[in-house]
Amino acid sequence: MNDLVGQTFLVTGGNTGIGLATARDLALRGGRLYIACRSEAKGRAAVDDIVRTTGNAAVAFLSLDLADLASVRRCAEEFLALGQPLHGLINNAGVAGHQGITRDGFELAFGVNHLGHFLLTTAVLDCLVASAPARVVTVSSDGHYRAKGIDFTMLRKPTHSITGFPEYAVSKLCNVLFTQELGRRLADRDITTYAVNPGAVASDIWRRVPWPIRPLIKLPMRSTEDGARTSVYCATSPELAGVTGRFYDNCRERQPSRVVSEELARLLWEHSETWTAA
């Protein structure tokens, strides 16, 4: 099936896990792919693997460290300099169960899972508009239901919890809020947005969870191929044309957390815009 010939996609974290499975699926269908990740060695290895397994040579690597806003800006500039259209941006990369702070002073999960992707998306927005119809898919999680809200002061501090999971839940809530607000702002621009829950997937996102726990939590998890299905569905399905700002699980729309509101989404956008200003 070559239904994506002529379409260009950028997948963050496309070198492993759900991102690699997503990129491979899009490449199999003829799409032009850009794999954006932190490790050049792993990124180029993923490119070679996708080319070899799909026969699609239109796959390339972009350097991207979401924990460093300067790196995000360079990635966007590098892509835009190529002069390619952009029909699908899949904000897939993420961290879970980590403690730390980004290079720019943001709690690690928030900085990587939301703020880096916020900057990347807004930096290539004009390209998306020029390429419309286009889609922005952001990988969230049903973990966002566990977040009770956003304490914006805590986003400027290192991870507070021992497990990092409360902060992860907040970052995934931010993914849903960002998707809704972006959808509202682009309602008349023929760009649609989707937040997705891939389910519990045995991917590298859990790589820093301590060894005695990591293999146990991964036992009941689904494969990366299963986890990528909803991302691919939202990025390509004709039946979702015109649908925007929604949350999807198992390729079906699902009601997000009650915490999600237009007011909170707007507030998050305003903070994110200020924090990513060059």
Side-chain angles (χ1 to χ4, degrees), residues 214-225:
R214 187 168 70 248
L216 294 177
I217 66 172
K218 290 175 73 171
L219 276 176
M221 294 182 178
R222 62 173 63 177
S223 69
T224 54
E225 288 74 21

Side-chain angles (χ1 to χ4, degrees), residues 191-202:
I191 299 175
T192 49
T193 67
Y194 314 85
V196 304
N197 171 38
V201 177

Side-chain angles (χ1 to χ4, degrees), residues 10-277:
L10 194 163
V11 183
T12 69
N15 61 303
T16 188
I18 300 169
L20 178 58
T22 299
R24 183 179 287 114
D25 192 307
L26 297 172
L28 273 170
R29 295 165 60 179
R32 176 182 294 275
L33 262 293
Y34 288 91
I35 304 299
C37 67
R38 185 174 55 180
S39 168
E40 181 172 356
K42 292 179 179 179
R44 294 196 182 281
V47 168
D48 292 343
D49 176 68
I50 293 171
V51 171
R52 178 179 55 81
T53 57
T54 68
N56 184 345
V59 187
F61 164 77
L62 293 172
S63 179
L64 171 66
D65 182 352
L66 289 163
D68 180 354
L69 295 180
S71 172
V72 178
R73 292 188 184 94
R74 287 193 298 270
C75 179
E77 290 168 359
E78 183 180 351
F79 174 77
L80 294 173
L82 298 171
Q84 292 286 339
L86 183 58
H87 303 99
L89 172 61
I90 294 88
N91 292 322
N92 163 85
V95 295
H98 297 201
Q99 290 181 312
I101 195 165
T102 69
R103 181 179 293 272
D104 303 277
F106 297 94
E107 191 282 317
L108 186 62
F110 171 79
V112 172
N113 296 349
H114 167 70
L115 199 62
H117 281 128
F118 175 91
L119 177 56
L120 179 64
T121 304
T122 53
V124 299
L125 197 53
D126 287 346
C127 184
L128 285 163
V129 170
S131 309
R135 301 185 183 191
V136 178
V137 178
T138 301
V139 176
S140 180
S141 166
D142 63 0
H144 89 275
Y145 290 103
R146 300 177 187 174
K148 297 179 180 179
I150 303 174
D151 182 342
F152 287 94
T153 61
M154 295 302 291
L155 302 181
R156 300 306 307 268
K157 300 178 181 180
T159 309
H160 179 72
S161 72
I162 295 174
T163 64
F165 287 115
E167 290 84 358
Y168 172 77
V170 169
S171 74
K172 296 290 102 176
L173 172 63
C174 290
N175 292 152
V176 176
L177 292 165
F178 168 60
T179 293
Q180 288 201 355
E181 183 65 15
L182 183 64
R184 280 190 286 270
R185 289 170 179 258
L186 299 175
D188 60 347
R189 308 299 291 273
D190 206 12
I191 299 175
T192 49
T193 67
Y194 314 85
V196 304
N197 171 38
V201 177
S203 71
D204 282 353
I205 195 172
W206 309 106
R207 62 188 175 275
R208 292 189 186 176
V209 175
W211 169 251
I213 301 173
R214 187 168 70 248
L216 294 177
I217 66 172
K218 290 175 73 171
L219 276 176
M221 294 182 178
R222 62 173 63 177
S223 69
T224 54
E225 288 74 21
D226 283 345
R229 284 194 311 116
T230 305
S231 292
V232 174
Y233 170 74
C234 289
T236 64
S237 176
E239 66 188 71
L240 294 188
V243 179
T244 192
R246 311 288 178 82
F247 178 61
Y248 284 81
D249 182 3
N250 246 355
C251 299
R252 294 181 181 180
E253 186 181 346
R254 180 179 174 186
Q255 191 69 23
S257 167
R258 295 178 182 178
V259 175
V260 173
S261 69
E262 286 191 28
E263 181 181 1
L264 186 57
R266 190 177 305 111
L267 187 58
L268 173 64
W269 185 284
E270 290 170 357
H271 275 86
S272 301
E273 199 168 46
T274 298
W275 287 338
T276 56

